């Protein structure tokens, strides 16, 4: 998941927020997210048996994939998020490999996956284009020949097409207020929440990359864009609006 505050941190990411992350996003349709990714891979002729989920967070997509009989490995920069994922994997009775690792230096061997996923704007927490290129190059490296790499960069359209400048949650003992603002090419996310009598605040930054910039970074990393697959209306829920899967193949 994303690095802390304005820069990229190799030691912490979504640490305190890991405690409430699943309460905030419990209704997200991860099954449909996975459907779209698998459909995209099938459309590219990829026979998916092994999947790598980059920036896997608390493991929602990884667990969904494992439940479909696939061999899944997830990695994340946040030890706290991985700890939550491990608990959920055990409870679900699935086998998912969980590894502490950075998008900029993916700790997996070359060609180990048929499908590689980097969802939920994880690339946008890398504020330097050179880091994004390095991450994309690593994702392409772990894709096997004939494999598919699907990334979901944050689009500026998501901010301006029906987005809400705040998010509020008040349930299960959690009260969360999130506010968003656009500062140049950065989206600033400010979180304040309380749970069990403990109050926390954190701030995260994401950088917008235009479609042209994303396509150029993909090319520089050796990935060939095959298609852009909108989440809406295939997923007819509000969070899917403005979100797009970029489906790529590694150049031989």
């Amino acid at each position: 998941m994303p690095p802390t505050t304005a820069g990229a941190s190799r030691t912490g990411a979504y640490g305190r927020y890991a405690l409430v992350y699943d309460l905030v996003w419990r209704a997200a349709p991860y099954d449909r997210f996975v459907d779209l990714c698998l459909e995209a891979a099938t459309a590219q002729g990829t026979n998916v048996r092994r999947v790598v989920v980059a920036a896997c967070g608390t493991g929602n997509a990884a667990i969904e994939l494992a439940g479909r009989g696939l061999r899944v490995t997830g990695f994340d920069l946040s030890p706290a998020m991985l700890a939550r994922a491990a608990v959920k994997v055990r409870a679900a009775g699935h086998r998912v490999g969980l590894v502490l690792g950075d998008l900029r230096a993916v700790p997996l061997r070359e060609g180990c996956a048929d499908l590689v996923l980097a969802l939920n704007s994880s690339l946008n927490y890398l504020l330097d284009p050179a880091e994004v290129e390095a991450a994309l190059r690593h994702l392409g490296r772990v894709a096997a020949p004939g494999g598919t790499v699907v990334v979901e960069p944050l689009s500026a359209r998501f901010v301006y097409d029906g987005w809400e400048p705040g998010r509020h949650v008040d349930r299960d003992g959690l009260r969360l207020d999130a506010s968003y603002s656009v500062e140049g090419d950065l989206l600033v996310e400010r979180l304040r929440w309380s749970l069990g009598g403990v109050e926390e605040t954190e701030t995260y930054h994401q950088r917008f990359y235009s479609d042209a910039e994303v396509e150029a970074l993909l090319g520089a990393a050796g990935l060939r864009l095959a298609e852009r697959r909108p989440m809406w209306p295939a997923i007819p829920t509000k969070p899917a609006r403005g979100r797009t899967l970029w489906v790529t193949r590694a150049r031989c």
Side-chain angles (χ1 to χ4, degrees):
M1 291 306 297
T4 55
T5 61
S9 167
R10 296 179 187 275
T11 58
Y14 269 13
R16 291 168 289 168
Y17 192 41
L19 297 174
V20 300
Y21 185 86
D22 285 326
L23 291 176
V24 175
W25 297 108
R26 68 179 186 182
Y30 289 100
D31 57 337
R32 292 296 294 128
F33 294 161
V34 166
D35 287 342
L36 286 186
C37 293
L38 293 176
E39 289 165 9
T42 297
Q44 296 305 314
T46 300
N47 178 24
V48 179
R49 296 170 297 146
R50 304 166 300 165
V51 185
V52 164
V53 183
C56 66
T58 63
N60 294 301
I63 291 169
E64 178 68 28
L65 287 158
R68 302 186 188 202
L70 299 171
R71 182 178 174 184
V72 184
T73 301
F75 71 89
D76 200 281
L77 182 62
S78 168
M81 295 291 271
L82 284 177
R84 304 290 290 185
V87 171
K88 290 161 61 177
V89 166
R90 288 193 294 270
H94 298 315
R95 295 185 63 183
V96 176
L98 296 172
V99 181
L100 184 66
D102 194 315
L103 272 168
R104 297 156 294 190
V106 177
L108 300 173
R109 62 180 175 80
E110 182 175 344
C112 67
D114 308 304
L115 175 61
V116 181
L117 305 178
L119 305 178
N120 296 323
S121 67
S122 52
L123 290 170
N124 297 87
Y125 290 93
L126 303 178
L127 306 185
D128 184 340
E131 291 187 316
V132 177
E133 181 184 334
L136 291 170
R137 192 176 298 279
H138 274 287
L139 297 178
R141 176 183 60 78
V142 300
T148 297
V149 179
V150 178
V151 298
E152 187 205 343
L154 178 69
S155 168
R157 290 188 298 273
F158 178 63
V159 174
Y160 295 108
D161 289 354
W163 83 305
E164 295 181 0
R167 186 173 73 251
H168 309 281
V169 177
D170 192 354
R171 61 169 180 262
D172 302 323
L174 167 68
R175 179 176 176 80
L176 176 139
D177 293 292
S179 64
Y180 305 90
S181 60
V182 178
E183 300 178 6
D185 60 358
L186 294 181
L187 174 67
V188 183
E189 178 183 33
R190 296 178 176 88
L191 304 173
R192 179 186 299 273
W193 74 89
S194 62
L195 180 68
V198 177
E199 294 190 1
E200 298 281 3
T201 59
E202 288 185 293
T203 300
Y204 295 96
H205 295 71
Q206 299 179 65
R207 178 173 173 175
F208 290 122
Y209 294 95
S210 69
D211 288 354
E213 288 174 313
V214 172
E215 194 160 355
L217 288 166
L218 289 169
L223 294 172
R224 177 181 59 83
L225 178 62
E227 68 164 319
R228 285 181 285 193
R229 184 170 290 228
M231 286 191 175
W232 175 274
I235 301 177
T237 59
K238 192 172 184 180
R241 286 186 179 273
R243 295 174 63 174
T244 301
L245 300 177
W246 291 60
V247 184
T248 74
R249 307 291 297 275
R251 290 196 176 101
C252 300

